[in-house]
Amino acid sequence: MQIDQQMPEWYRARYNQLRDQALLAESGARPTFTPIEMTESSVLHRETIPGGWYWSTLLPRGQALRLINTSGNNGVSVGLWNADDLSERYNAGDTIKLQWTTCLTTGRVLFSDMGRVLTSIIGDSCGFSDTLAGGSTPQSNARNFGNEGLRNTRNNLRLIAGKHGMAQHDVTSCITFFSHISTQADGSFRWIDGDIRAGDHVDLRAEMNLLVAVSNCPHPLAPEKSFAPGPIEAVRWQAPAIKPDDLCRTFCEEARRGFENTDPLFV
Amino acid sequence: MPEYDISKVFSTITLDQVVAARVPWSGVVRKGQVLRIIDLESQQAVDALFYNAHAYHERYSAQDTLVNQGAAYIGKGGRLFSNEGNVLMTVVEDTCGRHDTLAGACSCESNTVRFGHETKYMHACRENFLLEVEKYGMSKRDIVNNVNFFMNVPIMQNGELVIDDGLSAPGGFVDLRAEMDTLVVVSNCPQVNNPCNGFTPTPIRVVIGDPVSI
Ligand SMILES: [Zn+2]
């Protein structure tokens, strides 16, 4: 069969089938799987990141990063690069398009620009993140707090990139956890209040060797009137061996194919 | 319906070119000039990147654009922001209503994930972008999430997202006024695996000119 020489009707039928299957995975009952717990003996490193500041770590394949929202901040932004080839990086557009959803929580994965899985979201007690509007910038701080000189995610990520030999053009899209944004029918974003709690955490398991950048700044659409993010905690830990029923690897066909693109890097 | 007759819109025309289906195009739009992109046959996705023509490290940023306008789509009056928080271009006329800036460009690699490994060897927008930006000394690292003119990507409140049939009619167009000298790089999307082109890529027309003063 020549996949590039079919009639439009053939492509449409195929697209509809892929769409229906993907939307069913999202709306249907989640498959049973073994929850992945962080144990104290698996902890490799702990770090407290002050409000407004940044931190980065190398996260080898198989290790996980737990971000604990100790202070109940509205947002913690994350940027991701393949540590073995820094030109490969997080791609927000592909991540939402490939999984047919902007709702990135437990069970979902984050994609690079090369059709590979950077990280699996193996735990998320909050359940809300945003990768459409991105992190704060000098302009958003000027608008929200009347002061463009406050610390912001754009510059935090640029500082991390710069310290790893990268440049401005290596800082593109990020994902902000602990942020509940809803998209209205007309496309406008609405911040949903009341869902961010102190003590919530998200667990990201590295599916390739990663450079992870963390910026502890509030989401630019969050409602706070003064800039006062509290400290958060980052914990690097050894994730257990992957089980056959691993949620992120079995949740949808798209993620499964993403892992088929990723795993050959490590055989 | 906004005016289609370009002779009534432009006082001088510096470029008027048909871009065939599936191929890239690039050009500089000087500050104050207008770029009109015309969807000649309807439902054609036009993937576009924007760079400060004098300093390519300043370029279109989807996340800056979305957060600054507080909304997921671009329509008339929409401003395309750079990664430095400056406006590159403003949408001054638009027959379509809204354009996507979330879903990014298709690539051979993402096609394998979205549509199956058998689609790996099909031409894709990021191949177009890469060959085009290399003409300006740029590389893969300079390719960021782009605007998809005429592409329809509805998002539900629960986050569900699909690529739906395009809404643009034959001859539909978007007018972009440059707020700084802007390098525009276009991939006339070759994708046939989703409805962004009605499964049939078709040519577009690009016109650059000085607008008639009002
Ligand atoms: Zn494309």
Side-chain angles (χ1 to χ4, degrees), chain B:
Chain B
M1 189 73 176
E3 186 56 64
Y4 177 69
D5 182 354
I6 56 171
S7 68
K8 291 180 183 159
V9 175
F10 294 101
S11 59
T12 15
I13 288 171
T14 53
L15 177 132
D16 186 349
Q17 186 181 334
V18 170
V19 180
R22 304 170 195 265
V23 306
W25 169 86
S26 64
V28 172
V29 187
R30 299 284 165 206
K31 181 178 179 177
Q33 286 193 312
V34 168
L35 166 68
R36 173 168 291 192
I37 302 172
I38 305 168
D39 183 9
L40 290 171
E41 296 182 25
S42 83
Q43 293 199 327
Q44 172 62 22
V46 180
D47 295 36
L49 291 166
F50 306 87
Y51 302 84
N52 175 338
H54 306 291
Y56 298 144
H57 62 263
E58 178 171 19
R59 74 276 307 271
Y60 176 69
S61 165
Q63 291 191 329
D64 283 81
T65 299
L66 296 181
V67 75
N68 280 323
Q69 63 177 20
Y73 311 111
I74 290 174
K76 184 174 176 178
R79 296 180 295 168
L80 309 184
F81 280 86
S82 78
N83 58 342
E84 296 294 333
N86 299 315
V87 180
L88 289 151
M89 301 190 109
T90 303
V91 180
V92 291
E93 200 54 82
D94 174 25
T95 64
C96 179
R98 66 184 201 185
H99 308 268
D100 167 67
T101 190
L102 291 176
C106 61
S107 75
C108 297
E109 294 78 15
S110 66
N111 282 352
T112 68
V113 175
R114 191 162 155 84
F115 306 113
H117 294 296
E118 67 272 24
T119 61
K120 182 173 178 180
Y121 299 104
M122 297 176 81
H123 188 41
C125 280
R126 255 177 267 174
E127 314 263 302
N128 279 343
F129 279 154
L130 194 48
L131 292 174
E132 203 66 23
V133 300
E134 284 183 346
K135 293 178 182 172
Y136 303 90
M138 292 189 276
S139 73
K140 178 174 100 82
R141 287 177 155 170
D142 300 289
I143 297 173
V144 292
N145 265 25
N146 54 286
V147 179
N148 294 307
F149 291 110
F150 312 117
M151 192 160 108
N152 182 18
V153 184
I155 295 174
M156 308 296 147
Q157 269 186 324
N158 67 3
E160 181 182 305
L161 163 157
V162 300
I163 295 177
D164 232 332
D165 289 271
L167 301 170
S168 62
F173 63 87
V174 59
D175 282 344
L176 303 163
R177 183 181 66 218
E179 307 299 346
M180 64 172 82
D181 293 351
T182 301
L183 169 66
V184 182
V185 178
V186 159
S187 168
N188 196 20
C189 184
Q191 183 61 262
V192 291
N193 291 292
N194 73 41
C196 66
N197 305 324
F199 304 97
T200 311
T202 49
I204 58 165
R205 181 178 170 195
V206 289
V207 181
I208 299 174
D210 299 302
V212 171
S213 53
I214 301 158

